Amino acid sequence: MILLTMMGPQGPQLAAKVPSGILVLADAAQVLHLQDQGPIPESLGAALAEPGGLDRVAQYVAGVLRQAEALKGLTRPEEEVRIGLPFMPRNIICVGLNYADHARESGVDLPERPILFAKLLNSVIGPGESIVLPPESAEVDYEAELAVVIGRHCRRVRPEEALDYVAGYTCINDVSARDFQLSDRQWVRGKSQDTFAPIGPYLVTRDEVPDPQDLDIRCLVNGDPLQDSNTRQMIFSVKDLISFISQGMTLEPGDVIATGTPHGVGFAREPKVYLQDGDEVVVEIERVGRLVNPVRRDA
């Protein structure tokens, strides 16, 4: 199931991507008289927070898909839809240096355990929104990453059961001011500037991604593929990350784990490539989606 937030005249609306286009679930429930299944969650965030909420959404979508004729009049082409931030995360927990090739290009040894840091929620934006370059930084970099969305209370889980706690996956761009990182000697300010965490466009549920360790991942700037790798190159797998984090930090529905970026980031290239006013940045992850954001310099 591929879920999203559609921005319309009535505000944000929970929607699903189905074979014929984008389906607003509240509209479908009203037209097809699906109210006997109970009220549909008003948003993707509400569906994540409600125990069994995503399961109820899946029942709605399945009920609509069984009515093929009615479905034709209910969907609209994706190119005619404005897609917003799928949901506001509860927390964003990031993993640094989690691809061996990225650690090597950064000139550091492979970590013995996951390196964790956080992005603050002021940094979150949705697809199509602008990454804003702060005037104090001349070295803003891109980082394509697979984001894992937690679906239920998760504490001290074993790696072999960790994927059972995943609601789904989305794309995240861990935008980073490298000069801030270097001068501060830590990562919070450089990673948490306003607009430095584009997320979306979809929440792709766990059943749509059989193996999160076999997904092609790319970042393109102005159409030029600067990162091109696969999640199999991670040092610590998704299940190992969830288990490691949950040993002392309880994860709750709506928490996001950004699982690290592969090689090809701007600061490690020769010549260096930093984001500029007017650029377009695309994060593409197989089975998960394509996240597009323009770049502009703060006035």
Side-chain angles (χ1 to χ4, degrees):
M1 183 170 58
I2 301 174
L3 300 174
L4 58 113
T5 296
M6 193 197 81
M7 307 302 294
Q10 296 79 29
Q13 293 180 288
L14 177 58
K17 184 176 181 178
V18 298
S20 57
I22 302 300
L23 175 73
V24 176
L25 299 189
D27 292 348
Q30 184 174 8
V31 171
L32 301 178
H33 307 293
L34 298 176
Q35 290 88 343
D36 58 335
Q37 296 184 17
I40 193 166
E42 293 184 358
S43 67
L44 189 44
L48 285 167
E50 174 191 326
L54 283 182
D55 292 336
R56 286 208 302 115
V57 171
Q59 290 176 355
Y60 268 96
V61 174
V64 173
L65 290 176
R66 285 194 292 267
Q67 303 188 50
E69 279 303 312
L71 187 61
K72 293 177 183 177
L74 289 172
T75 58
R76 60 197 78 183
E78 184 168 352
E79 59 269 20
E80 297 179 6
V81 168
R82 181 183 164 213
I83 299 177
L85 177 71
F87 66 97
M88 176 57 75
R90 178 179 173 272
N91 292 303
I92 304 175
I93 303 159
C94 303
V95 185
L97 302 171
N98 194 34
Y99 284 71
D101 49 12
H102 176 51
R104 285 192 293 268
E105 74 176 358
S106 301
V108 299
D109 295 333
L110 300 187
E112 296 181 0
R113 63 183 62 85
I115 298 171
L116 303 182
F117 62 96
K119 287 179 87 83
L120 304 184
L121 296 185
N122 61 281
S123 62
V124 174
I125 58 173
E129 295 186 74
S130 293
I131 298 167
V132 179
L133 306 176
E136 299 82 6
S137 175
E139 299 179 356
V140 177
D141 209 344
Y142 51 85
E143 293 191 17
E145 304 199 13
L146 174 68
V148 178
V149 182
I150 298 300
R152 59 191 180 100
H153 180 86
C154 177
R155 177 171 168 79
R156 298 196 179 278
V157 303
R158 297 171 298 174
E160 56 268 27
E161 63 186 6
L163 294 184
D164 294 339
Y165 292 81
V166 173
Y169 304 92
T170 190
C171 303
I172 188 168
N173 189 346
D174 178 19
V175 182
S176 307
R178 301 300 186 188
D179 38 7
F180 290 0
Q181 286 183 264
L182 181 63
S183 63
D184 292 356
R185 303 181 66 183
Q186 52 86 9
W187 297 354
V188 175
R189 183 169 73 114
K191 299 282 192 174
S192 294
Q193 295 290 296
D194 292 349
T195 76
F196 272 25
I199 295 175
Y202 315 123
L203 173 67
V204 178
T205 53
R206 185 179 72 234
D207 56 293
E208 298 277 351
V209 182
D211 183 1
Q213 302 311 141
D214 188 19
L215 302 172
D216 290 335
I217 178 170
R218 299 203 305 164
C219 183
L220 302 92
V221 177
N222 302 326
D224 188 10
L226 300 182
Q227 291 182 285
D228 193 349
S229 188
N230 188 283
T231 56
R232 74 173 68 95
Q233 302 299 326
M234 286 184 188
I235 300 169
F236 304 103
S237 68
V238 169
K239 64 182 181 180
D240 288 334
L241 291 173
I242 294 170
S243 178
F244 178 83
I245 294 167
S246 74
Q247 297 313 304
M249 299 164 58
T250 301
L251 297 168
E252 297 287 357
D255 283 342
V256 166
I257 301 172
T259 57
T261 200
H263 73 286
V265 294
F267 85 87
R269 306 183 74 89
E270 287 298 337
K272 299 183 187 304
V273 177
Y274 293 120
L275 297 179
Q276 305 295 325
D277 184 58
D279 284 349
E280 180 186 75
V281 186
V282 178
V283 174
E284 290 182 346
I285 304 178
E286 181 184 6
R287 294 180 176 270
V288 176
R290 187 174 189 269
L291 172 64
V292 183
N293 295 91
V295 179
R296 66 175 175 85
R297 175 68 62 181
D298 198 0

